[in-house]
Amino acid sequence: MNTRFDLNDKNQLRAALINARQQTLATYAHLTPAQWKIPYLAIVNPPLWEIGHVGWFQEYWCLRQQQNAALQPSRLKDADRLLDSRTIPHADRWHLPLPDRDQIFRYLENVLEDTLIALDKSLPADRYFFKLTLLHEDMHTEAMLMTLQTLGYPEPAWPSTTLPAPKLHTAVNDVRLTGGAFQLGSQPGQDFVFDNEKWAHPITLSPFSISATTVTNKAFAEFVDAGGYRAREFWSDVGWQWRETHPIEAPCYWRKERRNWLVRRFDQWLSLPEEEPVMHVNYHEAEAYCRWAGRRLPSEAEWEYAARAGREDGDNRYPWGNTALLGQVSLDSVFTRPVPAASLAQTDSPLRQMIGNVWEWTASPFTPYPGFSPDPYKEYSEPWFHTHQVMRGGSFCTRSRLIHNRFRNFYTPERSDMFVGFRSCALP
């Protein structure tokens, strides 16, 4: 189904806010009471705290924070002290006197009801924060799925409809792109633009060749079986420091039984699907593989240029145009897992899965674009510049209303809990 989202349309935005909340609550709906109480981990949030934070964020920006007006009190007692991620250190979130689940869920229900009333009364120029809270919630829903994977919990009860297996397409190894003058970043006038995408600015790219697909499990297993995790020459200095403190010889969630690799998906151990993209590898692992293969990671400018096929204007929210192609691309959890890396051709280009399937590491550190100025939610980007690495493209569970060719995601280079892989470029 071809769908063009327009978050400037009040009815579509209203439906999206309702849908996002349904998705949030459904993601953890299958957990047992014991599974809601998780041990401290630096890469996840306590489930009840995270769901409460989503409601707090929506209430704060859509209902309480009026322009040039005093902050209104929360509907939940002590909400600012308990649920504001800007002021609560991560480790402290396990020790807060949170309300019980019923109270948190009622809070989310009441906040959403009032948010929809406020949206109905709003003018088009006043809907920035409704869009912000929608996309913020979409990000947290994906983070909640990452938590289920990290903890080895069962996956949610996905829709029972089984989609046809995607047809494989033959893809060439590399696609040659001419480069040249290019406007990197977002232009004014899109449905929503995060501050780190602002604004488009000219750069010049040399010609380059980029792989048509992300690196597959089969290809990465060759690196592993060749002893790549023990070969110092393939790792950067920082990467090898990480490697020395993490005595592993394969990606996390991989294990070998006899001669066969298995991979853990949520709580299930499966035979490694060779043609699917390698997933849950960190930046250092991706970089080491590329050196072993005589390749390199693309810069984020090269990645965006490839996704946009060098276009400056026109239908280029996604590589294939402006419609979401619901059910035809590996987004929105419709496939519940990555599809084979060479499948699902949506454009005439031989490039596959530039948007969706797995996030992709780039060689670029997360830095501000020229003239950067933080948006009202100034903690979104600015604190993380120069310490994080840029990822592009989205995963199988990223929402299609969030992701686009210019969207920048960012994580520290040692993290691998995301649904992330990579593609590579030929050396000059």
Side-chain angles (χ1 to χ4, degrees):
M1 180 174 68
N2 295 351
T3 300
R4 181 164 182 162
F5 292 114
D6 182 3
L7 296 183
N8 295 314
D9 181 283
K10 182 168 66 176
N11 292 328
Q12 290 195 45
L13 182 53
R14 190 181 201 279
L17 287 164
I18 294 171
N19 171 264
R21 185 55 46 80
Q22 292 170 339
Q23 191 86 352
T24 296
L25 298 178
T27 302
Y28 283 163
H30 63 298
L31 296 184
T32 66
Q35 289 172 328
W36 280 82
K37 299 176 181 179
I38 66 173
Y40 169 76
L41 284 174
I43 59 174
V44 303
N45 278 306
L48 188 60
W49 182 91
E50 186 159 18
I51 288 179
H53 165 73
V54 165
W56 176 89
F57 190 92
Q58 186 175 77
E59 181 193 35
Y60 182 90
W61 290 110
C62 294
L63 301 174
R64 297 173 60 202
Q65 182 74 305
Q66 305 300 323
Q67 289 185 353
N68 301 317
L71 188 65
Q72 300 300 310
S74 173
R75 289 148 182 77
L76 184 70
K77 183 181 178 181
D78 294 329
D80 294 339
R81 182 174 66 87
L82 298 174
L83 298 172
D84 184 353
S85 62
R86 301 171 301 179
T87 60
I88 304 171
H90 185 267
D92 291 354
R93 297 171 192 176
W94 271 258
H95 310 293
L96 297 168
L98 294 176
D100 62 29
R101 268 175 56 189
D102 288 343
Q103 290 175 290
I104 290 288
F105 281 24
R106 280 197 301 271
Y107 172 58
L108 264 68
E109 181 180 2
N110 294 336
V111 166
L112 179 59
E113 288 176 354
D114 290 347
T115 296
L116 297 177
I117 292 171
L119 173 64
D120 288 340
K121 297 177 180 178
S122 69
L123 298 175
D126 301 328
R127 293 175 189 154
Y128 170 87
F129 291 113
F130 297 100
K131 301 173 191 176
L132 171 67
T133 61
L134 166 68
L135 301 181
H136 170 267
E137 186 158 355
D138 285 341
M139 293 180 197
H140 271 281
T141 303
E142 181 162 351
M144 290 161 63
L145 287 169
M146 290 160 48
T147 295
L148 295 178
Q149 170 65 34
T150 297
L151 297 175
Y153 282 0
E155 61 188 314
W158 304 101
S160 58
T161 302
T162 301
L163 295 173
K167 182 179 179 182
L168 287 177
H169 297 261
T170 301
V172 297
N173 291 330
D174 277 334
V175 177
R176 182 70 172 171
L177 298 171
T178 57
F182 179 64
Q183 292 282 330
L184 175 68
S186 290
Q187 301 276 3
Q190 293 178 223
D191 282 355
F192 186 92
V193 177
F194 283 100
D195 56 12
N196 64 61
E197 302 163 27
K198 299 177 182 178
W199 288 110
H201 55 283
I203 62 168
T204 300
L205 289 174
S206 299
F208 65 100
S209 295
I210 189 168
S211 57
T213 68
T214 50
V215 172
T216 63
N217 283 318
K218 180 180 180 180
F220 201 87
E222 293 173 358
F223 166 69
V224 174
D225 290 337
Y229 278 75
R230 299 188 300 274
R232 171 66 181 86
E233 63 267 27
F234 301 131
W235 298 77
S236 68
D237 290 344
V238 175
W240 192 248
Q241 289 174 10
W242 171 83
R243 176 67 187 80
E244 287 185 313
T245 59
H246 294 78
I248 60 174
E249 297 196 3
C252 64
Y253 314 135
W254 283 32
R255 78 179 186 201
K256 207 163 198 178
E257 287 192 356
R258 299 184 178 89
R259 295 186 175 183
N260 299 316
W261 284 108
L262 303 179
V263 63
R264 180 170 66 74
R265 292 274 172 81
F266 298 102
D267 63 334
Q268 302 291 318
W269 284 97
L270 311 169
S271 295
L272 186 70
E274 291 189 340
E275 300 308 319
E276 289 182 15
V278 66
M279 189 165 61
H280 299 300
V281 289
N282 69 24
Y283 174 77
H284 303 307
E285 292 168 291
E287 190 180 43
Y289 171 90
C290 287
R291 286 203 180 95
W292 171 80
R295 310 272 297 176
R296 64 177 178 85
L297 290 170
S299 68
E300 71 164 322
E302 290 171 327
W303 190 98
E304 184 175 312
Y305 180 91
R308 291 167 55 189
R311 293 191 302 265
E312 301 298 340
D313 302 302
D315 284 353
N316 61 351
R317 176 179 174 89
Y318 309 110
W320 55 85
N322 273 334
T323 56
L325 299 181
L326 295 181
Q328 302 175 54
V329 294
S330 185
L331 288 165
D332 297 297
S333 297
V334 293
F335 289 101
T336 74
R337 60 185 290 172
V339 298
S343 66
L344 295 179
Q346 293 90 31
T347 69
D348 293 335
S349 168
L351 291 166
R352 298 285 182 263
Q353 313 297 343
M354 294 292 290
I355 293 287
N357 224 28
V358 290
W359 290 99
E360 299 181 25
W361 287 112
T362 74
S364 299
F366 183 53
T367 58
Y369 285 167
F372 171 83
S373 177
D375 282 347
Y377 177 35
K378 63 182 185 297
E379 292 81 9
Y380 177 69
S381 301
E382 195 169 35
W384 318 118
F385 288 139
H386 307 291
T387 59
H388 287 50
Q389 203 74 18
V390 174
M391 304 189 325
R392 290 297 198 111
S395 77
F396 66 95
C397 57
T398 304
R399 301 311 301 265
S400 53
R401 60 191 172 222
L402 167 68
I403 195 65
H404 55 83
N405 292 336
R406 301 168 177 85
F407 182 85
R408 308 173 80 196
N409 199 356
F410 45 95
Y411 276 87
T412 51
E414 78 280 359
R415 290 278 296 269
S416 60
D417 53 306
M418 310 80 71
F419 302 108
V420 61
F422 62 100
R423 73 182 67 220
S424 65
C425 287
L427 295 176

